[in-house]
Amino acid sequence: MAIQWNFNANDVEEGFPLIPVGDHRLRIASANEKKSSSGNDMIELSLDVSNYPGRLFYYLVFLPNNTTMTNTNLKRFWDSFGIESGNLNTASWVGKVGAGRVKHEEYNGDQTARISYFIERKKQDKLPAWVEKSSGGNSNDLTPMPDSMQSPFSVDDLPM
């Protein structure tokens, strides 16, 4: 069976808008245990940003030669997302909402958004509540999308 598709180059989404610098609510989409390029254990976090399409990535690297930095980063992360200190069960982190400061950096000649640091739980009160990704159109529309509209694909679209 050959796939039949009428491709229209005018009906293409050209990437995502750059997430603005500042404080944003974040939700953990995934947390995967990996090895860093230098061989250290690390956790790769994929983070949804309140009311923005796309994701940010953050790497919690376990540095045996700098335990203070590792412990500080873990404490700030756990506090921001309301995760019990010492909890390294990454599966239990998925779906937790916290907050972080976004900064812009140049990467391969382009401006990219990065997490500068995670914001303490007690300092998150002034941030707006979590809002699902904008479906396009007016970026000032902070109306959450209904659960039924979260994905353009149905379960039937997924491979078996």
Side-chain angles (χ1 to χ4, degrees):
M1 173 180 137
I3 294 174
Q4 298 294 315
W5 187 259
N6 185 19
F7 176 72
N8 180 349
N10 295 319
D11 186 24
V12 175
E13 192 171 296
E14 296 292 338
F16 298 111
L18 187 63
I19 296 164
V21 168
D23 298 343
H24 297 273
R25 291 242 182 240
L26 306 169
R27 182 176 58 197
I28 301 170
S30 66
N32 298 301
E33 297 178 22
K34 296 186 170 198
K35 291 282 186 190
S36 71
S37 58
S38 59
N40 293 318
D41 289 332
M42 74 174 190
I43 298 170
E44 178 188 64
L45 297 166
S46 175
L47 303 160
D48 292 323
V49 181
S50 182
N51 201 38
Y52 285 93
R55 290 199 168 138
L56 295 175
F57 294 90
Y58 185 84
Y59 303 92
L60 282 167
V61 181
F62 295 78
L63 302 168
N65 296 333
N66 194 343
T67 58
T68 301
M69 179 185 280
T70 301
N71 289 330
T72 300
N73 289 339
L74 285 167
K75 181 182 185 300
R76 289 179 180 162
F77 168 75
W78 285 325
D79 177 73
S80 181
F81 288 89
I83 299 169
E84 183 179 344
S85 288
N87 177 357
L88 289 172
N89 176 8
T90 56
S92 71
W93 299 358
V94 176
K96 301 280 188 190
V97 174
R101 170 76 44 95
V102 171
K103 65 180 178 178
H104 289 172
E105 291 181 348
E106 188 173 320
Y107 180 73
N108 289 336
D110 294 320
Q111 285 291 310
T112 61
R114 303 248 188 235
I115 299 294
S116 180
Y117 59 87
F118 294 111
I119 299 170
E120 296 174 58
R121 199 86 172 158
K122 65 183 178 184
K123 294 183 178 178
Q124 296 179 21
D125 293 343
K126 294 179 181 161
L127 289 175
W130 173 263
V131 177
E132 289 300 331
K133 295 174 191 173
S134 173
S135 59
N138 184 353
S139 63
N140 293 323
D141 179 10
L142 299 180
T143 306
M145 293 183 346
D147 288 340
S148 62
M149 294 177 61
Q150 292 303 309
S151 173
F153 304 104
S154 73
V155 175
D156 297 332
D157 291 327
L158 301 176
M160 295 297 207

